[in-house]
Amino acid sequence: MVDILDEVPLSAMRDKWGWFVALGILLLICGGIALGNLFIATVASVYYVGMLMLIGGIVHLAHAFQVRGWEHILFWVLSGLLYTVAGILAFANPLLASEALTLFLAIALLIAGTFRVWVGRKLKPERGWVWIVISGLATAVAGIAIALGWPVNSLWILGLFLAFDLIFQGWTLVVFGLVLRR
């Protein structure tokens, strides 16, 4: 298996430490802006997902005419139309789309947390299994909390996730760049 970091000399990354710090600061600023207006950040998230779905739908439709056999073409056309319609609806009604995405997020967190608890319990004889269970419980509780606040929290929850992601990525890159500098 090829490891991309094996191909990049550490000295080349050390020479660019300032770029990591600058990108981290930019992401921190963007995260702060998103945190300052969670509603706008949520709408931006919905538009981003809508754009990806629209592009995916168009690619599916183009691919449909590259396959042979009606049963395959029908599957790709229906799939492409579904993606395209979902993307258009995200742009046409971002609030409804944010409600749907927030509900899906709550369900996904609940399922992922429950699965993580199950995996942690299966690892019970091993040291550290309890941390996997605690992580799963935290994820499941987050899913339940989001579901209990739905649909009202759909106006800000996606923006909050985006803001936290930008802030954590920003701090990570700043610290990484400063460590490279040493």
Side-chain angles (χ1 to χ4, degrees):
M1 185 164 135
V2 176
D3 190 359
I4 193 162
L5 293 179
D6 288 342
E7 297 174 11
V8 178
L10 190 56
S11 63
M13 283 199 316
R14 281 193 179 128
D15 292 341
K16 304 292 184 194
W17 70 269
W19 286 101
F20 287 104
V21 172
L23 178 58
I25 291 171
L26 178 65
L27 289 175
L28 282 169
I29 292 168
C30 290
I33 292 169
L35 200 55
N37 195 336
L38 295 176
F39 176 73
I40 297 296
T42 295
V43 172
S45 299
V46 169
Y47 283 158
Y48 178 72
V49 170
M51 179 186 62
L52 293 177
M53 293 180 86
L54 194 57
I55 291 169
I58 292 168
V59 169
H60 270 83
L61 289 171
H63 178 70
F65 299 103
Q66 304 300 316
V67 295
R68 301 289 182 244
W70 280 106
E71 64 278 355
H72 298 291
I73 290 174
L74 184 62
F75 167 77
W76 286 105
V77 166
L78 288 176
S79 180
L81 287 174
L82 203 62
Y83 268 98
T84 303
V85 168
I88 290 169
L89 287 176
F91 282 100
N93 193 344
L95 297 180
L96 179 63
S98 74
E99 286 180 9
L101 290 172
T102 301
L103 183 60
F104 289 144
L105 175 65
I107 292 168
L109 289 173
L110 184 58
I111 291 170
T114 304
F115 181 71
R116 206 173 298 147
V117 168
W118 179 75
V119 168
R121 298 275 299 144
K122 289 291 207 178
L123 296 173
K124 190 172 183 176
E126 298 297 324
R127 290 173 41 132
W129 68 272
V130 73
W131 291 108
I132 297 172
V133 171
I134 290 170
S135 167
L137 287 172
T139 302
V141 167
I144 291 168
I146 291 170
L148 289 175
W150 185 84
V152 175
N153 63 3
S154 63
L155 296 175
W156 56 269
I157 201 79
L158 298 176
L160 184 66
F161 271 68
L162 174 64
F164 279 167
D165 182 58
L166 290 169
I167 289 169
F168 281 115
Q169 287 297 316
W171 277 118
T172 301
L173 288 174
V174 166
V175 170
F176 182 68
L178 293 175
V179 168
L180 283 176
R181 181 176 169 221
R182 292 181 189 169

